[in-house]
Amino acid sequence: MEISNLNLLLIVSFAILFLIEIIFRHRCEDKLLNLPPGNLGLPFVGESLDFLAKGWKGCPENFIFHRIREYSSEVFKTSLFCQPVVVLSGAAGNKFLFSNENKLVETWWPGF
């Protein structure tokens, strides 16, 4: 059985991506112990593709509702557009955010 160069290239590239993801997850788990439950998704892509797909279907709120059900929490972490994000939803999240403005929460805009 002969493996073509293209197949070999695909196998090697998937193996490299898999190893990069394992290293990325291991490093992030050590640094992010105090964050809420959630998934940061794939390296560099995060969960952006799922967010965009639900937005194109006309229901971007389903992205948030799905994660609220999945993690049993109104606060969860994710990664959108190459940036780690913590999402607060519900009355308690809004109260925390707006009552602690410039105390515990810092305004930050992503650099593009």
Side-chain angles (χ1 to χ4, degrees):
M1 184 164 100
E2 186 177 314
I3 298 177
S4 68
N5 289 340
L6 181 60
N7 289 340
L8 184 61
L9 180 64
L10 286 174
I11 291 170
V12 169
S13 50
F14 279 122
I16 290 172
L17 286 174
F18 181 72
L19 290 174
I20 288 172
E21 182 174 353
I22 289 173
I23 292 168
F24 179 77
R25 285 183 191 266
H26 179 69
R27 288 180 145 202
C28 286
E29 287 174 3
D30 292 341
K31 295 177 186 176
L32 305 176
L33 293 177
N34 294 329
L35 288 179
N39 183 7
L40 294 177
L42 297 172
F44 306 112
V45 177
E47 295 186 307
S48 302
L49 298 177
D50 189 29
F51 177 71
L52 290 173
K54 291 192 171 139
W56 285 325
K57 291 179 183 176
C59 299
E61 63 275 2
N62 287 345
F63 176 81
I64 294 176
F65 294 147
H66 172 71
R67 277 142 187 86
I68 289 172
R69 283 191 308 271
E70 184 177 345
Y71 302 121
S72 301
S73 174
E74 291 185 341
V75 179
F76 62 90
K77 70 181 176 198
T78 186
S79 177
L80 297 174
F81 309 110
C82 299
Q83 299 293 324
V85 177
V86 174
V87 177
L88 302 170
S89 62
N94 286 330
K95 181 179 179 183
F96 172 79
L97 179 64
F98 292 116
S99 66
N100 291 307
E101 190 172 359
N102 294 328
K103 295 175 191 165
L104 299 175
V105 179
E106 182 180 328
T107 304
W108 171 79
W109 296 97
F112 287 101

